[in-house]
Every structure is written in C-alpha cells, then in structure tokens.
Amino acid sequence: MIAADDAISIFLEDDAATAWLGEDLALALKAGDCLALSGDLGAGKSSLARALLRAIADDDSLDVPSPTFTLVQSYDLRIPVSHFDLYRLGHPDELVELGFDEALRNGICIVEWPEMAEGDLPASRINLKLEHEGKGRRVTIKAPEQEMARIRRVLDIRAFLDAHGLTDARRRFLTGDASLRAYESVYPADGSARQILMDWPRRPDGPPVLDGKPYPKVAHLAEDAYPFVALANVLRDDGFAAPEIYGVDYDAGILLIEDLGTEGVLDAEGLPIPERYREGVACLAHLHSLPVPQDIAVTPDHIHHIPDFDRVAMKMEARLLVDWHLPWKSGREASDAERAEYLAIWDHLIDELDSAEKNLLLRDFHSPNIIWRTNEHGLRRIGMIDFQDAMIGPTAYDLASIVQDARVTIDRPLQDQLMGDYLALRRLEAGFAEPTFLKSWAIMSAQRNCKLAGLWVRLLKRDGKPGYLKHMPRTLTYLKVAFEHEALAPLRDWCTRAGIGESES
C-alpha cells in the first residue's frame, strides 16, 4: 500500500484481494457516505461492490444483481445501501427521480460510473478508481479528511491482522460501543474459532468539566488498552472467564481477544433469566472475597494502577441528577440552595462509606456485559467482557449494578433473591460485616441511579439520543428501593421536595 496525505494506492493481485478490500471498506463506511467507483469495463467495480454489500449483509451468498438496467438496486441491511449504475443515465437530473438524495440521507450510496453525474454527486464523496495493472489491478482512493481517516483505520487493522498470522481473515462488524470502542468479528482463513477485534483509538481530551479536567479523567475512565489487558490477566489468573489477549498494539489501540461467546443472560423476550443472574451474583461474591493488587504489571515498561472510586468521581456522577434531570423534570435550573444541599447530602453519604468494604469493582457488571457460557462450569459460566474502567471502591457498587440492571427490569422478588444469594455466600467468610455492607449497597445504588437519571436526560438533550429515556421509569423505581435504607433519608427527602421520582416517561 502506498499512502499519501490525500490518497491511498493499493495493488490488488487478484479477485480475492479485491474482495478483501471490499470487506474492509464495509467496516469504514457509515450512513451518509457516497462511494464513487470509477474505472474501465472489467476493472473490478462490480466485484468490489458485491464484496462490500455481502460484508455489510454478513451473507456471502447475498444476490447482488448488476443495476445496469434498473439504474439502482436497494438493500435493507444493517446500514441501508443503494447501489447505483449511472452508465445509462440520460441526464444528471434523473438522480433526483432515482431517489439519490433520500438514499444518501438514510444510508450508503455506491455509485458506478460517477462520471455521468460528476457535478451532482456530493463533494464529500469517497472516490475510488480501479485500473488494470499487469495481471492485477490498482486502486486509488481519495476522500475528504474524515472519510479518509476511517479508511486508513480499517486498512491499519488489516495490517495488524496480517502481522498476527490472520492474513485473509474475514472481518465482520460486531457492535459499536456506546463509548469510544467498536468491535469486529474476525474469522481466520483456516476455519479456526472466531476471534474478537477491539478497535479503540486514542481520542483527544474533551472539554473540562471539573477543576479543568475532562470527564474521562475525573471519572477515571480508561483511555487506552493497558487497563483492559491488566484486568483481563488478573481475572483469568483468579479463575474467572475474561478474554485471553492474542495481540495488542497499545499505541494504535487495537486488540485481538478471545471470543467468549454470544449468549447473554436475557431470554428471547429480553427478560432476565434468573438462573443466569444468580450465577452472576455468585461470581461477584467470589470476586469480592479475593485480594486484588492495585498495581498490575502489563508490560516490562508499564504498570497499571487501578484508580480509586474517590469522592470527586462519585459526586461528579451523582451531580448529573441535579444538572440534567431536575431541569428536565421541573422546567427550571436548580437554585444555588438546592444544589448546595444536594451536594452536602452526598458529602455526608460518601463519609458513611469510610467503613465500607473496598475492593475491585468492575463498574458495569450488568446484562450487556455478561456472557453466558452454557458448556462451562462454576465461575467460568460467567464471561466478563467490560472491565477496563474498573476501580477500587465499595464492592457493593457492582452488586447494585446487576441486582438493579440499568437495561432490563429486575422485579423486586428477583432483586431480593439475588441479594439473598450474595449475602448467604458472603456470610461464610469470617469478618463479613453485613449491616455495613447493606448500608454501602443502598448508598451505591442511589449514587448509580442518580447518575443514570441524569445521564438519560443528557443523552436526550445534549447528544440527541432519545432512546435511552425508556430506561427512566426503571431507574427511578430502583432509586426508591435504595431510599428504603434509613441512611438515605436526607436524599429521599430532597428528591421528594424536588419532585424527582414521581411518575415520569
């Protein structure tokens, strides 16, 4: 591959290489992209488009007819794709009749023979030219900076896979994390088991939110791959099912890890499967009984220090309720007096955690991050896949995160069952202080649900993501459970006066 600032040039030795490029491009494109394919007859435009479409569909047998006579062929895939062939286009205005603008708003447009509508295609298009060269073909890609950066990224990942013995591996989109990570399924050419690729590039710091620091630094969110590798190694050494690390490029933010499976802890209707949640709680009870080092050697040159879940982080998260939820609920900003009282209540509650049991907390131990491994036994039935943001703090936080799953309703009888299971296991340990633990559980439940009640509104108002608001009634119901503990009386009273916790949708 030859790369310049404004172009990428790649020699494709055969049709298979063209297909690999199509697969890679399928991972780089997103809704709103226009891919303009130019080249002589037989240069490989249709072959590349076919490979790209089949990769997005994750269907190697997808029928991809040529749109030569229909001019456009549409596909309702993960991202809608419209495949245009403009060779027979009579006039550029016909693009409107073909629904090009609407197709581009809603998905991806692949355009063969773009020369027939040169001035009517978007300036932000990705231009890909195929030319015969020897027994193969050469492709030249030019695109605006943002689009080119995505293409370079998927090609860098292909080079990473090649360097780790996975030449010609098939790549498929797996999921895009709500944070900064994306995941691919990688299928080795030799037919061996699927592996998972984590795409985690470093990002520039965001705006300051507290004391001149951006949110990730205040909340102690992992910003590179070192924490994930460190925690995966420690968890596996202690007998838990965390992914084995097959390869990692820390600078580039690319990891190749073990596939723990695809089955979760919810049934086909999205309801919790009690047996699986109970196994998850048993797994937590064992984790909380083990000593975990706070400093973990990851490489000869890097030691990961697990951060503390400190007062600053707890209060910043809890503050989301007064910053975002209260204005949304009441139609007004919190008064200075309300804000000061709320934060003072949290200072007192955090003081109450001084005597709480503190150990490793995984931070988001709930349904999206738990893999059910049917053929395993004991601890290894529960696969852990999201722990890079782990901290040292009140262990009760993780119990609250699964007993009160943010993404699925855990009815009160199951909540009580899970709490009972956990406490029964911990009572077997000498020195387990149950009353102190239950108080810390209530405080951590309230902290987590105050954060989420504000976060759902922030996602709506700031980020334009209304879908998360469906979790609000559940979150407020969970908060009421925390309020049952006497230690939460001041916060409960504050929320009552502020009108928080009433029927909301």
Side-chain angles (χ1 to χ4, degrees):
M1 180 178 75
I2 301 172
D5 290 340
D6 61 346
I8 296 172
S9 177
I10 307 170
F11 176 70
L12 305 172
E13 60 185 12
D14 52 26
D15 286 342
T18 304
W20 299 135
L21 177 60
E23 289 198 0
D24 291 348
L25 290 174
L27 292 161
L29 300 183
K30 66 179 185 179
D33 282 341
C34 173
L35 178 64
L37 304 179
S38 61
D40 294 336
L41 288 170
K45 300 186 298 296
S46 295
S47 296
L48 190 143
R50 185 180 303 111
L52 191 156
L53 281 159
R54 287 176 173 173
I56 294 177
D58 194 13
D59 181 357
D60 291 339
S61 63
L62 178 71
D63 184 28
V64 183
S66 171
T68 299
F69 295 103
T70 59
L71 299 187
V72 60
Q73 186 74 33
S74 297
Y75 301 84
D76 186 15
L77 306 178
R78 171 177 61 84
I79 305 174
V81 181
S82 296
H83 183 191
F84 293 82
D85 186 323
L86 305 186
Y87 187 73
R88 296 175 57 249
L89 193 71
H91 190 278
D93 289 346
E94 292 179 26
L95 269 181
V96 176
E97 298 175 20
L98 292 172
F100 180 85
D101 292 341
E102 181 180 357
L104 192 61
R105 281 195 301 271
N106 299 325
I108 297 166
C109 290
I110 303 172
V111 180
E112 296 189 41
W113 299 101
E115 300 86 354
M116 304 302 294
E118 184 70 30
D120 293 271
L121 296 179
S124 61
R125 66 184 178 272
I126 300 166
N127 292 300
L128 190 152
K129 185 175 184 180
L130 290 151
E131 300 173 284
H132 295 289
E133 183 174 312
K135 295 183 178 180
R137 53 180 64 106
R138 180 165 294 280
V139 59
T140 303
I141 305 172
K142 294 185 178 181
E145 183 178 353
Q146 290 186 349
E147 288 78 5
M148 188 66 92
R150 282 189 265 128
I151 294 171
R152 291 184 192 279
R153 182 68 179 178
V154 297
L155 295 177
D156 287 345
I157 291 173
R158 175 63 74 180
F160 172 90
L161 293 174
D162 290 346
H164 286 81
L166 290 168
T167 301
D168 295 342
R170 287 192 305 120
R171 301 166 60 188
R172 294 291 184 268
F173 173 85
L174 179 58
T175 184
D177 197 9
S179 62
L180 302 176
R181 294 173 295 277
Y183 298 83
E184 299 178 15
S185 296
V186 177
Y187 299 92
D190 63 8
S192 56
R194 181 180 78 157
Q195 299 178 28
I196 305 299
L197 186 132
M198 186 188 300
D199 179 8
W200 189 0
R202 290 179 179 270
R203 307 283 184 176
D205 286 340
V209 296
L210 189 66
D211 295 334
K213 297 179 181 179
Y215 183 88
K217 285 186 167 56
V218 179
H220 306 307
L221 301 181
E223 299 182 72
D224 55 41
Y226 289 105
F228 184 91
V229 176
L231 270 298
N233 291 340
V234 165
L235 290 168
R236 281 201 319 278
D237 288 346
D238 283 334
F240 297 96
E244 183 177 350
I245 310 299
Y246 298 138
V248 57
D249 184 327
Y250 292 105
D251 292 331
I254 306 173
L255 295 87
L256 190 64
I257 65 176
E258 179 185 5
D259 175 16
L260 295 181
T262 58
E263 201 169 351
V265 293
L266 307 179
D267 64 18
E269 283 72 45
L271 300 175
I273 301 174
E275 173 202 3
R276 300 182 182 184
Y277 273 80
R278 296 182 71 182
E279 289 281 358
V281 162
C283 190
L284 269 189
H286 184 66
L287 176 62
H288 294 165
S289 72
L290 299 177
V292 175
Q294 192 161 9
D295 292 298
I296 305 168
V298 187
T299 70
D301 302 318
H302 188 95
I303 293 176
H304 173 58
H305 178 79
I306 304 176
D308 293 314
F309 195 14
D310 55 29
R311 180 183 300 270
V312 174
M314 287 189 194
K315 284 182 67 177
M316 185 188 68
E317 291 183 344
R319 202 178 68 190
L320 292 175
L321 180 133
V322 75
D323 288 346
W324 291 93
H325 185 97
L326 180 60
W328 170 76
K329 171 63 178 175
S330 65
R332 62 175 179 82
E333 296 294 324
S335 69
D336 292 343
E338 283 177 312
R339 180 181 297 274
E341 182 184 1
Y342 178 78
L343 295 177
I345 289 170
W346 272 111
D347 272 325
H348 174 72
L349 290 174
I350 294 169
D351 288 341
E352 290 285 298
L353 294 171
D354 285 347
S355 58
E357 174 189 79
K358 297 180 177 66
N359 200 346
L360 182 71
L361 61 93
L362 302 176
R363 202 164 189 157
D364 280 313
F365 190 71
H366 59 163
S367 55
N369 301 327
I370 301 174
I371 302 296
W372 179 254
R373 309 177 78 213
T374 302
N375 297 325
E376 295 289 346
H377 301 280
L379 296 174
R380 296 194 58 77
R381 298 191 84 175
I382 297 295
M384 301 176 176
I385 59 171
D386 191 326
F387 40 73
Q388 62 280 339
D389 297 326
M391 299 181 290
I392 300 296
T395 53
Y397 184 95
D398 276 348
L399 184 62
S401 72
I402 184 171
V403 170
Q404 298 184 324
D405 195 321
R407 304 301 180 96
V408 62
T409 297
I410 309 296
D411 291 331
R412 189 59 184 268
L414 182 54
Q415 289 185 50
D416 293 342
Q417 175 74 71
L418 297 174
M419 291 292 291
D421 286 352
Y422 179 91
L423 293 172
L425 291 168
R426 296 303 306 277
R427 288 178 192 133
L428 300 176
E429 302 170 31
F432 176 65
E434 185 171 330
T436 303
F437 182 87
L438 288 174
K439 180 172 71 173
S440 67
W441 185 91
I443 295 171
M444 288 291 87
S445 166
Q447 191 272 345
R448 180 173 172 83
N449 287 303
C450 283
K451 173 186 74 173
L452 293 174
L455 179 61
W456 305 145
V457 178
R458 189 176 73 180
L459 287 165
L460 166 71
K461 295 290 188 180
R462 189 191 73 181
D463 303 331
K465 298 178 179 180
Y468 289 92
L469 211 59
K470 66 184 178 183
H471 302 306
M472 186 68 79
R474 176 188 311 120
T475 299
L476 297 176
T477 298
Y478 289 156
L479 185 58
K480 289 180 181 179
V481 175
F483 286 165
E484 294 173 8
H485 195 284
E486 60 185 9
L488 273 297
L491 182 62
R492 180 192 62 218
D493 294 343
W494 185 94
C495 287
T496 298
R497 293 195 305 274
I500 292 173
E502 300 172 1
S503 178
E504 299 179 14
S505 60

